[in-house]
Amino acid sequence: DRGKIEKYVGFAEGGLAPMLDEVGADLPQNWLALIHRIFEAHCEKMIERVGDGKDLTFIHGDLNPGNILSPMMTLDRTYLIDHQPFDQSLTIWLGVSDLAYMMVHWWDTDMRKGWEKPLLENYHRHLLRLGVRDYTFAQLWDDYRLCAMQSLYVPASWCVNPIERKEAKWLWWSQLQKTMVACVDLKCVELLQ
């Protein structure tokens, strides 16, 4: 609901100014403008997308390589582990948000550009096979782009705490750069109109 999304975004907003104080001078001007635009308009777009909630599902929220256990030599089960939501975390949201988190933050740019669309097409086919109806690939693609922008809240959240901002800069600085490249590549700003 609105309150949960505003709490989630509000927490990240607390790290925006410290994050930009730390690295803003190293960012291209078009990225800075886009960062501010996302923080101005994205929350309302998330709230709009919730609608009546029928398209939402339980999400992991931190789908990184360390939280995926997958067999390397067989086609056995894959497990998503370490689900530890914070008080401000979203636990019910768009399923594609976990895929966006994984691809935008953890894949290098060339890998993401090459694999994101085929992976999402495959994901969509599986949703249809499992009985999901009235959810077009175009809607999934827009949801993915909405969630790519949501990725900006992760590095900002790391910057709320001054200690984490310094000690985890190796992580959030990379996540910020990958997020902004993805947002530009995917023309995410179109969704904020």
Side-chain angles (χ1 to χ4, degrees):
D1 64 11
R2 174 178 287 276
K4 187 70 172 167
I5 291 173
E6 287 175 344
K7 183 176 185 178
Y8 167 74
V9 174
F11 181 82
E13 283 177 333
L16 177 60
M19 179 179 77
L20 294 180
D21 286 346
E22 183 79 22
V23 297
D26 298 323
L27 298 175
Q29 284 301 313
N30 65 320
W31 284 15
L32 287 170
L34 182 54
I35 288 168
H36 288 292
R37 180 73 181 123
I38 290 170
F39 270 93
E40 289 167 4
H42 186 260
C43 182
E44 281 302 315
K45 293 300 180 180
M46 290 178 72
I47 292 166
E48 285 175 24
R49 180 59 186 95
V50 166
D52 62 8
K54 72 176 181 72
D55 295 335
L56 305 182
T57 191
F58 180 77
I59 62 166
H60 186 282
D62 186 18
L63 200 56
N64 68 66
N67 289 342
I68 303 171
L69 298 179
S70 184
M72 295 181 64
M73 305 305 274
T74 66
L75 293 176
D76 209 351
R77 289 181 178 222
T78 296
Y79 295 91
L80 307 180
I81 63 168
D82 197 26
H83 182 255
Q84 299 179 29
F86 299 102
D87 185 47
Q88 72 276 1
S89 298
L90 295 179
T91 54
I92 304 295
W93 181 230
L94 301 169
V96 75
S97 68
D98 280 335
L99 297 176
Y101 185 94
M102 176 186 69
M103 291 188 279
V104 170
H105 286 170
W106 300 102
W107 290 4
D108 69 45
T109 298
D110 289 337
M111 180 186 294
R112 179 190 51 77
K113 285 180 179 182
W115 290 3
E116 71 191 339
K117 196 154 193 178
L119 185 143
L120 293 171
E121 289 168 340
N122 189 49
Y123 174 67
H124 188 253
R125 281 191 300 274
H126 282 280
L127 290 176
L128 296 176
R129 194 181 80 221
L130 292 169
V132 172
R133 299 289 174 255
D134 301 322
Y135 189 51
T136 66
F137 182 75
Q139 181 62 61
L140 173 71
W141 185 251
D142 282 348
D143 287 347
Y144 174 72
R145 293 165 64 211
L146 184 72
C147 293
M149 286 185 282
Q150 181 185 342
S151 295
L152 179 58
Y153 301 142
V154 176
S157 293
W158 278 108
C159 294
V160 170
N161 179 310
I163 295 170
E164 287 182 347
R165 183 170 57 252
K166 295 292 184 198
E167 292 180 359
K169 185 176 180 182
W170 64 272
L171 174 61
W172 65 259
W173 175 232
S174 171
Q175 290 175 332
L176 174 61
Q177 293 173 79
K178 288 177 180 178
T179 296
M180 297 315 298
V181 169
C183 286
V184 170
D185 289 346
L186 297 166
K187 299 178 176 67
C188 293
V189 73
E190 295 172 353
L191 297 176
L192 301 178
Q193 307 306 323

